């Protein structure tokens, strides 16, 4: 038999009459659990109200792929009321942190007590609201941090490629400079005629890197082999070091034959060595420039994406924000996703919270990639409809099930496996578009085509919420 004095110490039962408290004791099932026992798992639909008479319990919730602590229930305490009130699965997992003495109240008795006692119902509703608000705020912050971490990891990956290329070409440039120095010494010793030197210089200046398709790699390799054999025939030392640089810029044996007849073997060898080293160094400098430009573009996009050092609300070009988002998400797009842009460039700038809208584009594009399992086409379309700017993001994934559609924008609702999504991405997007910008967000889906449409007023509809 449960000690009624312990029951009265639990806040919702404090104001119950002795008769009602006795009734409650008759309807409770008493249990003792060990530390580490799982009392309720996230997603469970077991309708029961838990009363902690002795001990302590720890509540956690999946956020991303991790479980994060959300609450502690230290006796005298209770949990489970919110799920019973809403008729929804358990919002989190609860584990006994210490040995616990507990009581369980079935759903039927819980609802009867809720209707018969105003004090009990008021305490349950107030506590449930406070706990859900705290839980939502905790997981929202965690979601934002997780999204930031994902973006940071993607940026690190994107920056690493051009940075590694710059470092690699810098190392190669040191070696090539040494080759160029040796070539200059050889040229000075060979007393090559000025007109032949001018011809070599003109040949290098007139040729540029070949920009053929990937399928031309075989042709390029054949050109290198042919040039290597030709150079070897004329006694050029280590022709395999020079043939790639010359062939890569489009130089063929026919371009060099006029020099063979005008120069002796020493002069020709020195000239070829100088020309190959010069072209290789020029190629390395260009590769370094491309890497540096790519790094600069990524950093610029990140600053623009986050509106670093700028006011939160300002006149924003929607297309610029979308392009910044695509740049930041390049690590997710480049493995099989194509993006088709259909922009109405006549759209004016909108006074919005730019960084928050960019998070909306991030969520919608990220969901589209997941829906297509990383391979497919995303169409981003902008336009004007009456007094609204309209932004549509369409994917050719499998679509959204009809029974899921009514719940898409509910907090914590997700169709992803447990641990792979918090169910807050679309909720955050909805709050940003509707609450922060007085806009609308709609969805239309069928197999092979899902479109999320965001409508933003071209002129403010009243004041934007703070």
């Amino acid at each position: 038999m449960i000690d009624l004095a312990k029951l009265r110490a639990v806040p919702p039962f404090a104001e119950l009459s002795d008769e009602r408290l006795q009734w409650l004791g008759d309807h409770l099932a008493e249990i003792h659990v060990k530390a580490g026992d799982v009392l309720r798992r996230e997603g469970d639909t077991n309708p029961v109200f838990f009363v902690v008479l002795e001990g302590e319990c720890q509540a956690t919730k999946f956020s991303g792929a991790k479980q994060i602590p959300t609450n502690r229930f230290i006796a005298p305490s209770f949990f489970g009321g919110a799920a019973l009130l809403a008729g929804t699965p358990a919002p989190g997992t609860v584990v006994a942190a210490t040995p616990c003495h507990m009581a369980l109240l079935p759903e039927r008795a819980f609802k009867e007590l809720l209707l018969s006692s105003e004090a009990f119902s008021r305490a349950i509703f107030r506590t449930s609201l406070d706990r859900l608000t705290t839980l939502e705020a905790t997981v929202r912050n965690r979601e934002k941090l997780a999204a930031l971490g994902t973006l940071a990891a993607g940026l690190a990956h994107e920056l690493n490629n051009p940075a590694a290329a710059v470092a690699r070409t810098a190392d190669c440039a040191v070696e090539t400079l040494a080759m160029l120095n040796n070539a200059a010494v050889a040229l000075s010793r060979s007393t090559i005629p000025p007109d032949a030197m001018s011809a070599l210089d003109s040949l290098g200046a007139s040729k540029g890197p070949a920009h053929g398709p990937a399928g031309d790699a075989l042709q390029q390799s054949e050109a290198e082999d042919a040039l290597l054999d030709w150079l070897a025939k004329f006694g050029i030392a280590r022709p395999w070091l020079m043939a790639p640089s010359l062939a890569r810029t489009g130089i063929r044996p026919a371009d060099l034959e006029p020099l063979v007849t005008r120069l002796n073997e020493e002069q020709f060898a020195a000239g070829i060595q100088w020309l190959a080293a010069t072209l290789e160094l020029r190629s390395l400098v260009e590769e370094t420039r491309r890497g540096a430009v790519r790094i600069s573009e990524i950093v610029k996009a990140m600053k623009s994406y986050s509106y670093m050092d700028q006011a939160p609300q300002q006149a924003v070009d929607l297309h610029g924000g979308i392009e910044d988002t695509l740049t930041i998400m390049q690590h997710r797009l480049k493995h099989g996703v194509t993006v088709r842009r259909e922009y109405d460039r006549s759209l004016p700038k909108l006074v919005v919270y730019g960084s928050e809208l960019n998070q909306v584009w991030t969520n919608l594009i990220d969901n589209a990639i997941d829906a297509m399992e990383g391979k497919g086409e995303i169409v981003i379309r902008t336009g004007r409809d009456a007094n609204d700017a309209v932004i549509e993001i369409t994917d050719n994934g499998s679509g959204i099930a009809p029974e899921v559609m009514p719940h898409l924008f509910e907090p914590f609702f997700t169709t992803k496996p447990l641990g792979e999504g918090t169910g807050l991405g679309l909720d955050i997007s909805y709050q940003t578009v509707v609450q922060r910008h007085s806009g609308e967000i709609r969805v239309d889906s069928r197999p092979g085509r899902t479109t999320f449409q965001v409508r933003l007023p071209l002129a403010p509809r009243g004041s934007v919420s703070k």
Side-chain angles (χ1 to χ4, degrees), residues 111-123:
K111 291 184 175 179
E112 182 177 340
L113 186 59
L114 198 68
L115 293 173
S116 63
S117 172
E118 182 181 350
F120 175 78
S121 61
R122 185 169 55 248

Side-chain angles (χ1 to χ4, degrees), residues 231-232 234-242 269:
L231 292 173
F234 287 95
I236 302 298
R238 298 186 296 176
W240 57 87
L241 294 179
M242 288 167 270

Side-chain angles (χ1 to χ4, degrees), residues 3-17:
D3 185 348
L4 297 184
K6 287 185 177 181
L7 282 181
R8 195 173 289 283
V10 181
F13 306 144
E15 298 182 32
L16 293 181
S17 65

Side-chain angles (χ1 to χ4, degrees), residues 141-157:
N141 289 335
R142 178 76 184 192
E143 172 82 359
K144 291 178 180 179
L145 289 173
L148 182 61
T150 301
L151 286 177
L155 281 173
H157 179 76

Side-chain angles (χ1 to χ4, degrees), residues 447-462:
R449 180 183 174 87
T450 296
T451 299
F452 279 86
Q453 183 187 85
V454 174
R455 304 176 71 91
L456 298 168
L458 293 170
R461 297 178 182 136

Side-chain angles (χ1 to χ4, degrees), residues 332-389:
R332 293 218 62 199
L333 295 167
K334 64 184 181 182
H335 297 298
V337 176
T338 59
V339 178
R340 178 155 54 94
R341 299 158 173 85
E342 298 180 3
Y343 293 162
D344 178 359
R345 293 289 185 177
S346 69
L347 281 177
K349 290 185 176 182
L350 273 67
V351 178
V352 294
Y353 294 94
S355 62
E356 295 183 26
L357 271 186
N358 286 347
Q359 184 62 54
V360 173
W361 314 140
T362 301
N363 290 338
L364 296 182
I365 293 171
D366 193 56
N367 282 349
I369 296 170
D370 287 341
M372 300 185 300
E373 298 182 349
K375 296 186 184 297
E377 182 183 57
I378 295 175
V379 180
I380 304 178
R381 185 179 298 105
T382 64
R384 182 196 304 254
D385 183 15
N387 296 319
D388 290 339

